[in-house]
Amino acid sequence: MWLRTSAALLLAAATPTALPAEDPAPVQQPVQKGHPLWPDGAPGSKARRNEPEVGRDYWLRNIHDPSLTAFPADPKHRNGVGIIIFPGGGHRLLVWTNEGTKVATALNRMGITAFVLKYRLANEPGSTYTVAGDAADDARRAVRWVRANAAAYGVDPARLGVMGFSAGGELVSLIADNPEPAGRPVTDATDRISARPDFQILVFPGPGGLPARDAAHAPPAFITAGSLDQCCAAPSVALYQQLREAHVPAELHMYAGADHAFNLDESNRISILHWPDRLADWLADEGWLDGSASKRPPAR
């Protein structure tokens, strides 16, 4: 009898008891909708404007209608800073998540409103676009678009930065450290707003746009790369040296043991995992987060 009773107790203890469901109801995530940069299509792209974009896993390509996707910061701790992100991908595709949307949500945690740019790809098979022409036009138009719509997002148009990864870093340098080429299309009033950012962030940037041809008027810079990066270590150091010699405030972080594309949380080295913290420190030290940064003259 004792054995049968004990066995029954053990069986009861091992049988899971049904509990009432405590999981919260599913929350519908907002749909990320891009804002076209040009209402009537980008100059030179209208014939292909209606072609669908192609996306797989983490990347996008076949972009003919450049757009910005907004990631507004929580109004409770929004600080007025805006940053436009240019993902990398060798101008063949866009690393949309790891160098775009994930970065935007990380900036949101700093109180920064972020925007991720879909720009035209010059190295995609069959492309007729150029990096210095069309892709850079998209980057400049993005800066102008955010300045034109800054009030709607709680962004201070005098605290607007650009941030680029790899090929996206080349776009940062093209629009921040070089003059705008003469004769580019002017389609509306937005095209007459300044496209020079107030500060620049370059993460393992490629060599495009270097040497800078207008370093003297470049905005303050934060630059980071890996010392083992065969592509982008040298351009990072070269740009820093140019800006330093031009007396432009610049900060450079070169990480030992790091190669290309460490992105966010994609390294087993502690120092590299904390590079976004160094960016936050720089933004605070330079006065961008609290608005105390000295205002530079408008770009000419």
Side-chain angles (χ1 to χ4, degrees):
M1 175 65 76
W2 181 84
L3 288 174
R4 288 199 299 270
T5 304
S6 298
L9 290 172
L10 288 172
L11 181 61
T15 303
T17 303
L19 297 175
E22 295 182 357
D23 291 339
V27 177
Q28 183 68 37
Q29 296 297 319
V31 176
Q32 294 175 350
K33 184 179 180 181
H35 301 276
L37 294 183
W38 283 274
D40 297 320
S45 298
K46 295 174 75 170
R48 303 187 65 182
R49 182 182 182 189
N50 294 323
E51 290 185 21
E53 297 171 356
V54 178
R56 299 285 189 277
D57 190 19
Y58 64 90
W59 55 263
L60 292 172
R61 65 174 180 81
N62 207 47
I63 296 159
H64 304 290
D65 192 14
S67 64
L68 276 176
T69 302
F71 291 78
D74 188 330
K76 290 184 291 188
H77 62 94
R78 183 175 62 204
N79 53 33
V81 176
I83 292 180
I84 304 169
I85 302 164
F86 307 153
H91 301 288
R92 294 183 297 275
L93 52 80
L94 297 183
V95 183
W96 183 248
T97 55
N98 294 351
E99 296 178 3
T101 60
K102 290 182 179 179
V103 180
T105 55
L107 294 174
N108 286 165
R109 293 192 289 273
M110 301 179 196
I112 296 168
T113 290
F115 305 82
V116 186
L117 175 65
K118 293 179 183 177
Y119 56 88
R120 288 171 285 178
L121 300 168
N123 294 338
E124 187 176 19
S127 175
T128 59
Y129 304 128
T130 66
V131 174
D134 303 293
D137 279 351
D138 296 345
R140 293 188 186 92
R141 178 73 181 196
V143 174
R144 292 175 165 127
W145 190 96
V146 173
R147 283 207 169 108
N149 295 276
Y153 293 96
V155 169
D156 180 350
R159 286 191 288 152
L160 178 60
V162 291
M163 180 179 191
F165 291 74
S166 191
E170 294 181 332
L171 296 184
V172 169
S173 194
L174 282 167
I175 72 170
D177 308 315
N178 291 275
E180 183 169 0
R184 300 310 295 169
V186 176
T187 62
D188 56 18
T190 299
D191 277 334
R192 294 181 173 85
I193 297 173
S194 172
R196 187 67 65 93
D198 297 298
F199 59 89
Q200 55 179 319
I201 302 164
L202 303 101
V203 187
F204 39 84
L210 297 180
R213 293 185 294 112
D214 195 18
H217 296 97
F222 177 95
I223 309 167
T224 186
S227 296
L228 303 180
D229 190 337
Q230 294 299 308
C231 155
C232 303
S236 299
V237 175
L239 177 60
Y240 171 77
Q241 183 65 9
Q242 267 203 280
L243 295 174
R244 189 188 70 81
E245 292 176 354
H247 306 290
V248 174
E251 185 164 311
L252 173 66
H253 294 266
M254 297 294 296
Y255 288 102
D259 206 329
H260 193 64
F262 43 76
N263 296 329
L264 302 180
D265 303 323
E266 293 186 26
S267 174
N268 59 2
R269 295 181 68 85
I270 294 173
S271 60
I272 301 170
L273 289 174
H274 287 281
W275 78 261
D277 299 327
R278 304 292 74 77
L279 172 61
D281 294 342
W282 178 79
L283 290 167
D285 285 343
E286 296 300 307
W288 298 110
L289 298 183
D290 65 5
S292 63
S294 60
K295 301 298 186 293
R296 296 172 65 84
R300 291 176 291 184

